[in-house]
Every structure is written in C-alpha cells, then in structure tokens.
Amino acid sequence: MTTAREQQVLDRIERARRRKAHVKDEHITLCHGAGGKATQTLIEAVFLDAFDNPALAPLADGAVIADTHAFTTDSYVVTPLFFPGGDIGDLAVNGTVNDLAMCGARPVCLSAGFILEEGFPVADLRRITTSMAAAARTAGVHIVTGDTKVVQRGKADGCYITTTGLGAFHHDIRPGARMARPGDAVIVSGPVGDHGITIMLARGELDIEADTVSDTAALAGLVDDLLTACGPHLHTLRDPTRGGVATVLNEITATTQLAAVLDEDTIPVRPAVRGACELLGIDPLYVACEGRLLALVAPEATQTALSTLHAHPLGQDATVIGHLTDDPPGLVLLRTTFGGTRIVDLLVGDPLPRIC
Amino acid sequence: MTTAREQQVLDRIERARRRKAHVKDEHITLCHGAGGKATQTLIEAVFLDAFDNPALAPLADGAVIADTHAFTTDSYVVTPLFFPGGDIGDLAVNGTVNDLAMCGARPVCLSAGFILEEGFPVADLRRITTSMAAAARTAGVHIVTGDTKVVQRGKADGCYITTTGLGAFHHDIRPGARMARPGDAVIVSGPVGDHGITIMLARGELDIEADTVSDTAALAGLVDDLLTACGPHLHTLRDPTRGGVATVLNEITATTQLAAVLDEDTIPVRPAVRGACELLGIDPLYVACEGRLLALVAPEATQTALSTLHAHPLGQDATVIGHLTDDPPGLVLLRTTFGGTRIVDLLVGDPLPRIC
C-alpha cells in the first residue's frame, strides 16, 4: 500500500514519536496550552513524570475512580468572556459535563473555582454565574462547592474558572481510546469548528464578518442515549475541543496504533466557518468544538448510532466521516476532495489560542 | 451579663447581620478574595443566589455528596510561588486534603488545573509538580487528572493552581459548624499565623527580618486519629486559613448563634510571628495557617482530644484557647491579657492578600 519513499517518511515519524517526551523549551509558551504536540510533551515530561499513577496514566478526558466514578477538571481562560452563543460560565459547566460524558459517566456534582481580577464588574460575574446555573440545570447537575480568589488589576483577564466534575457510571460500558477497533466508523455529531471560529471572530481583531455561534452544549443526554442504543459496540467517545477533530483522532491512533482514514468531503463544516477558516488559513479539522462528540462505533452498530444521534436535538447533523484501519499504524489520513491522501498530524501549537 | 449600652451595640450588630446579603460594590476588590465579610457577602449574594442547592448551602470547606463522599475545591494564587517551608504546589495539595479532612473525610483522589503564564520557567513548574507529588505521597493520595492552560505574558503571575479533592467517609461522624454545642472546648492544634506572616515577609517588601516558616501540612492523619479517639464528641473541625482563627470562629458562631470566648493568653503564637504582627499592626488571630486545625470538642472529651493531638507530630503544641457559651449569641469574644473583653468581629477584607 505504501511506496518505499512513503515508508521512509513513516519510519521517521515513528522514530520521532518513540522518543521519550522531553521539554526542550526552557520557558512555557502559548503552544504548551494549545492541546497539540507541545501540550502532550509537557504533560508527559512534567506532569505524568511527577504524578505517575494508574488512574492518571491513560491521560483521558477524565480519570476512572474505583470503576464506579469518573473525575475530571478543566480550567477556562477563554477570551473574550462573552461571545455569541455563550460565555465562560456555560462553557466551563458544559466542558466538564462533557468530559464526564466522554468517560461514559453521568454528572453527579460540579465544583467551581473562580480567579477574579480586581476591578471586574460584579454585574459581569452575576451574568456568568447565572449562565453557569442555567447550564448546570440543563445538564441536571448541581454546583455544590466552590472557591473565590481575587488577584490584582491587570491579572486574570477579568475571570478564570476551573470546574471539576464527579460522575457516576450507570452503564457497564467504559468507552475509551483503547477500546477502538479496526473497522470502527468515525462519527461526528455535528458541524465542526463553530466554537473556535466564533471566539476568534468575537475578538474583533480580524476584519471578517461571519454569522457564527458557539456550539457549547452539554452532551450528557446524547451520550446516555448512545450508550443505551449501542451498548458495547460504542467503543470510544471524545469531544474535539482544543486542537479539534484532528488532535483527538491523533491521540486515539497513537494509543491504539491503528489508522484513521477520513473523507474530507464528508466532514460537516458550516459555510461561514469554512469561509473564515479559508481566510485565516486554518484547517477546520484543528478548530475546537464545545458541543460535539466523536464516536468510534463497531460497523454493526453504525446505523443505530446514527439514528440515535439524529433523534436528538444536538445530533441532528451527525455523520460518518471515516473509519479505522490497521495500517499505517498510528496515523490519521485524509482523502482530500481533490483525490489525494495526506497525513493529518498533531500540530505543535494552535493557530487559535485561548478559545476555552 | 451585658449592660444596656452593650445590649444596644449587640442589637445593632445583630440587625446588620440579619440583612439579606447584597454586594454594594460595582466592581470586585481584593477584599472580595480575602475570606472576610466582603467574601461572605459575595458568596451569598452572587454564588449561592445563582447555584442554590442543598449541598452548597452549608458553605462548609467541602460539600457532602450522598452522605458517603466529600468534595472540595480551592484555587491558589499565592505570591511568591516559593517561600520558606513550601511552595504553591504543596500548599495546593495540603489545602485540599485539609478541606476534606475538616469534613471528616479521607482523601480518595485529587485533580489539578494549572493556569500558566507564557514565559514561566519549565524548571519552576517542575519544582512545583515535584513538591505536589511529594505532598500527595505524604497525604496518601494520587493526583489522577488535570488540565493545563497558558495565558499571555503579564497574566497569571507565573502559575495559578486549582486543586479539587474527592474524599470518602470512614467514620460515622460528620463534624460541622452545626454540631457545635455550648460548653465545647475550642482547641487549636498549634501556633497560629506562621503561614501568613511567612508569605508576607517572603515578598521582601517589608524591612522586617524574621525566621518564620510556613506551617503548610496535610492534616488527614491527625484528623483520623482525632475521629477515632473522640468519636461523636468531636463536634466541629475547621482549618483557619484565609482570615485565620477569628474568621473561622465567626463563621461558626454565626451558624450556631452561640458565642466563642477566647483567652488571649492561651493562644499560641510564635515570638517571631508575634513580633512581625506587632510591627505590621495585624492581630495574629486574623492571620492564615495552612497546617493547623480548630477542633470544637465536648467537655468530656477535651483531655482525650489534647492527648491525641500531642501524640502526633503536627499537634504537639495543641492547646485549649477558649470555649463556647450560649451568650451573647453569634459573637466571638476575647478576654485580653490586660483583663478586658473585646469583640473579635469579621474583617471586611484582609491585611494580608494573596497568601494562598
């Protein structure tokens, strides 16, 4: 399937990947927070090295505790704080609810830690907490504990929020990257890139007008329906946030040493998002969603998964965008609209920083 | 017991306290993060108003989940990041372990969310994660999940950390403010104010030299011993962090409508801390500890509690500093060294910002 020259390239990629993670930079850069290669290296070389333990090792969206509970945390530093379709508050609640859902768990409770900047308008804080409360209500979860710190003017961009979620398993299924199998369909629950592009445009630094809205939403109900309908045929769930679909699939193929082969033509991207991506020179496959999921499903359950997704308001545009194969191990390939095939690798950084 | 004039003052305090919490400020100030009156008002008027639910309502160090687990979160913005006796890393781990311990729970697992500043030295991050790992090991808990975000240069003072802890109850006892009873002894497990004064001096802005070291430590083992020895006679546990012993006792007396009467002479304060407090014009009762606890214990178990504390390396200087009475309701009183009695009220802000 691969020519000798292609094999040489693949071997070189493979050798590079096998190297022990090592942070070459002496200082943190924005790339380290982008969710791509630099973030992975930092996590493996610093955090995993220091905190090594069985629950942390899979580096999934959340940790599985005693096989009964899931536990996950995310810090939110999105700028601007308010954007079309949401704000840092519902983003923080939905993001943590979704990380629990991707483990196959239903949210039990959330915590919220606020770091506020001196001078931040109390009215803005109230708007954020109101939006968090509404998002929590929609997801059927309570924010049961919290903390507030204030830092001096000029720090913290108004408000940073860290949400942590505890979830409980109601099914026997523990979807995860390691469950993915050759032949699995790669399903995305809706158009990609809406959130990232919306944030980028909301900053007003670009002279682009587009009518985009963040897709931020809690996927707990959708996942519950999928787990019930597909059972153990539902192998892997991930939400393509920082780094988008491309990054999530690269993490899965790196874990499983399978390949993901995507068809560019089938990947749903709204025209306004595609247009903005073209003007910005960004591939929508790397742009964050905050209310979409990727599901890897056994072939025999693909139709069930699709019809379950289509029956839910958050999955109406769900579609199969590719499948997993044995070869070439560890890579994500894209069959382009023009008939070629290219490798979709991890980026070092992110063209869109601070979108969550 | 009280004169007519004193009663007038008490009535006025009582009326002020009964008013519905209302944030008068239009903007967040450092006071809102200080743990005193302004923080309480913000929590009640904004967070509790938005997130109202039974688990959050007690506003304790952590929330009790399904009567089997405790759940708690804290964001750390201490400056400087490194100080005599610790750093932001072990502070964040110990603080969250202690909040679980104060609920009467043993830590099950922790999460850590990092907000890093672009340009932060990777070596410093490694030093912090190493110290977190050591603190977690000492407390017998794993950091099982985490998140990293990076913000632009000039934000985040290098590193902010939010730790969240899940704990499990191994005893039937649920210590809490509401369990406190008249006659309870107020016990402190060691000298107060070491942490706050150490941080203040470590900033190097004051021309004071003192040989102080932070008391940051995990109190999970000490609490386990106390719960085993005292059983249901152990009514209330709190760690006097932001706002110190005075703030914690005010929260307890406000909840119970009991009074706490302290003897100034019995409150353990190291000479160096006392000296620095005098130079800074700060009452050590308001200065944060990060490795001390306050225990409210029924009279019949006071000796057992003391001997249990004295047998543990972290409780060797434990001492009774006062007791609870029925009257005057909701106040903390201090019998001073000079024979008088004064009210120790909540402060609006904090003379020592960003000590945790």
Side-chain angles (χ1 to χ4, degrees):
Chain A
M1 260 182 71
T2 43
T3 66
R5 202 184 130 66
E6 280 168 353
Q7 193 55 52
Q8 277 181 355
V9 174
L10 296 180
D11 288 348
R12 214 155 57 217
I13 292 174
E14 180 55 24
R15 276 200 305 278
R17 287 184 167 180
R18 277 202 198 138
R19 273 180 221 130
K20 191 176 177 319
H22 177 69
V23 181
K24 283 188 194 126
D25 312 284
E26 286 186 12
H27 296 92
I28 295 295
T29 68
L30 284 172
C31 291
H32 289 115
K37 260 181 202 163
T39 306
Q40 284 208 350
T41 306
L42 185 75
I43 289 172
E44 288 173 25
V46 177
F47 296 113
L48 197 53
D49 190 54
F51 303 152
D52 196 21
N53 62 74
L56 178 64
L59 294 176
D61 284 329
V64 175
I65 308 301
D67 202 39
T68 56
H69 287 82
F71 191 51
T72 183
T73 196
D74 260 320
S75 294
Y76 291 85
V77 298
V78 63
T79 169
L81 297 173
F82 302 95
F83 46 81
D87 59 46
I88 190 172
D90 49 18
L91 189 70
V93 168
N94 291 338
T96 290
V97 165
N98 290 349
D99 281 345
L100 293 174
M102 298 308 122
C103 300
R106 271 186 218 160
V108 171
C109 59
L110 301 182
S111 68
F114 293 82
I115 298 174
L116 303 176
E117 180 185 353
E118 184 185 12
F120 187 60
V122 172
D124 284 359
L125 180 61
R126 214 183 279 275
R127 206 174 140 194
I128 289 166
T129 54
T130 303
S131 138
M132 291 178 84
R137 229 177 354 256
T138 303
V141 66
H142 283 313
I143 298 166
V144 297
T145 191
D147 183 47
T148 313
K149 293 285 162 29
V150 181
V151 295
Q152 286 87 345
R153 211 173 278 269
K155 314 281 179 187
D157 303 290
C159 174
Y160 299 150
I161 301 177
T162 302
T163 42
T164 307
L166 177 68
F169 294 109
H170 290 256
H171 298 264
D172 288 338
I173 309 142
R174 304 282 177 276
R178 281 157 309 160
M179 309 301 288
R181 295 287 174 270
D184 280 0
V186 179
I187 299 175
V188 65
S189 65
V192 304
D194 294 18
H195 176 75
I197 290 298
T198 302
I199 297 296
M200 204 62 195
L201 299 184
R203 289 187 194 150
E205 293 161 2
L206 305 164
D207 202 17
I208 304 175
E209 294 269 334
D211 217 12
T212 63
V213 173
S214 167
D215 49 60
T216 179
L219 299 168
L222 188 66
V223 167
D224 240 10
D225 291 355
L226 268 183
L227 287 166
T228 304
C230 301
H233 294 308
L234 180 61
H235 292 162
T236 312
L237 286 170
R238 290 293 301 273
D239 55 340
T241 57
R242 266 189 300 183
V245 169
T247 302
V248 162
L249 283 176
N250 264 285
E251 289 170 13
I252 293 169
T253 57
T255 302
T256 56
Q257 287 301 300
L258 297 175
V261 183
L262 307 183
D263 289 302
E264 189 170 29
D265 285 343
T266 61
I267 299 166
V269 184
R270 290 190 204 282
V273 172
R274 188 182 299 283
C277 280
E278 279 171 10
L279 285 168
L280 291 165
I282 298 174
D283 183 339
L285 274 179
Y286 292 97
V287 181
C289 315
E290 291 286 346
R292 306 287 176 230
L293 60 80
L294 275 183
L296 304 186
V297 181
E300 56 266 45
T302 307
Q303 281 314 314
T304 308
L306 277 178
S307 55
T308 306
L309 286 163
H310 290 159
H312 194 284
L314 292 171
Q316 284 173 343
D317 299 319
T319 182
V320 176
I321 61 169
H323 62 281
L324 299 189
T325 67
D326 282 313
D327 189 70
L331 288 189
V332 180
L333 300 179
L334 184 73
R335 288 192 195 130
T336 67
T337 306
F338 305 106
T341 298
R342 65 177 176 87
I343 294 176
V344 179
D345 204 358
L346 276 185
L347 300 184
V348 171
D350 188 341
L352 304 179
R354 298 193 55 186
I355 47 76
C356 63
Chain B
M1 261 185 72
T2 42
T3 66
R5 204 183 129 66
E6 281 168 353
Q7 192 55 51
Q8 278 181 355
V9 175
L10 295 181
D11 288 348
R12 215 157 54 220
I13 292 175
E14 180 55 24
R15 275 198 306 277
R17 285 185 168 179
R18 277 204 197 135
R19 272 182 222 129
K20 191 176 178 316
H22 178 72
V23 181
K24 284 186 196 127
D25 312 285
E26 287 187 11
H27 295 92
I28 295 294
T29 67
L30 284 172
C31 291
H32 289 114
K37 262 181 201 162
T39 306
Q40 283 207 351
T41 306
L42 184 76
I43 290 171
E44 288 173 25
V46 177
F47 296 113
L48 197 53
D49 190 53
F51 303 152
D52 197 20
N53 62 74
L56 177 64
L59 294 176
D61 283 330
V64 174
I65 309 301
D67 203 41
T68 55
H69 287 82
F71 191 52
T72 183
T73 196
D74 260 319
S75 294
Y76 291 84
V77 298
V78 64
T79 168
L81 297 173
F82 302 95
F83 46 82
D87 58 48
I88 190 172
D90 49 19
L91 190 69
V93 169
N94 291 337
T96 290
V97 165
N98 291 349
D99 281 345
L100 292 174
M102 297 308 122
C103 300
R106 269 185 218 160
V108 171
C109 58
L110 301 182
S111 68
F114 293 83
I115 298 175
L116 304 176
E117 179 184 353
E118 185 185 11
F120 187 61
V122 172
D124 284 358
L125 180 61
R126 214 183 277 277
R127 206 174 141 195
I128 289 167
T129 54
T130 303
S131 139
M132 291 178 84
R137 229 176 354 257
T138 304
V141 67
H142 283 314
I143 298 165
V144 296
T145 191
D147 183 48
T148 313
K149 293 283 160 37
V150 181
V151 295
Q152 286 88 347
R153 211 172 279 268
K155 314 281 179 188
D157 304 290
C159 175
Y160 300 149
I161 301 177
T162 301
T163 42
T164 307
L166 177 69
F169 293 109
H170 290 256
H171 298 263
D172 288 336
I173 309 142
R174 304 282 179 274
R178 283 157 307 160
M179 309 301 287
R181 294 288 173 270
D184 281 0
V186 179
I187 299 176
V188 65
S189 66
V192 302
D194 293 18
H195 177 75
I197 290 299
T198 300
I199 297 296
M200 205 61 193
L201 298 183
R203 289 185 194 153
E205 294 160 2
L206 304 165
D207 203 18
I208 304 175
E209 293 269 333
D211 217 10
T212 64
V213 172
S214 167
D215 50 62
T216 178
L219 298 169
L222 188 65
V223 167
D224 240 10
D225 292 355
L226 268 182
L227 287 166
T228 304
C230 301
H233 294 307
L234 181 61
H235 292 161
T236 311
L237 286 170
R238 291 291 302 272
D239 53 342
T241 57
R242 268 189 298 183
V245 168
T247 302
V248 163
L249 283 176
N250 265 284
E251 289 170 12
I252 293 169
T253 56
T255 301
T256 55
Q257 287 301 301
L258 297 174
V261 183
L262 307 182
D263 289 302
E264 189 169 28
D265 286 344
T266 61
I267 298 166
V269 185
R270 290 191 204 283
V273 171
R274 189 182 298 283
C277 281
E278 279 170 10
L279 285 167
L280 292 165
I282 299 172
D283 183 341
L285 274 180
Y286 292 97
V287 180
C289 314
E290 291 285 347
R292 306 286 176 231
L293 62 80
L294 275 183
L296 305 186
V297 182
E300 56 266 45
T302 308
Q303 281 315 312
T304 307
L306 277 178
S307 55
T308 306
L309 287 163
H310 290 160
H312 194 284
L314 293 171
Q316 285 174 342
D317 298 318
T319 182
V320 175
I321 61 169
H323 63 283
L324 299 189
T325 66
D326 282 310
D327 189 69
L331 289 187
V332 179
L333 300 179
L334 184 73
R335 289 192 192 128
T336 68
T337 306
F338 304 108
T341 298
R342 65 176 176 86
I343 294 175
V344 179
D345 204 358
L346 276 184
L347 299 185
V348 171
D350 188 341
L352 305 178
R354 299 193 54 185
I355 46 77
C356 64

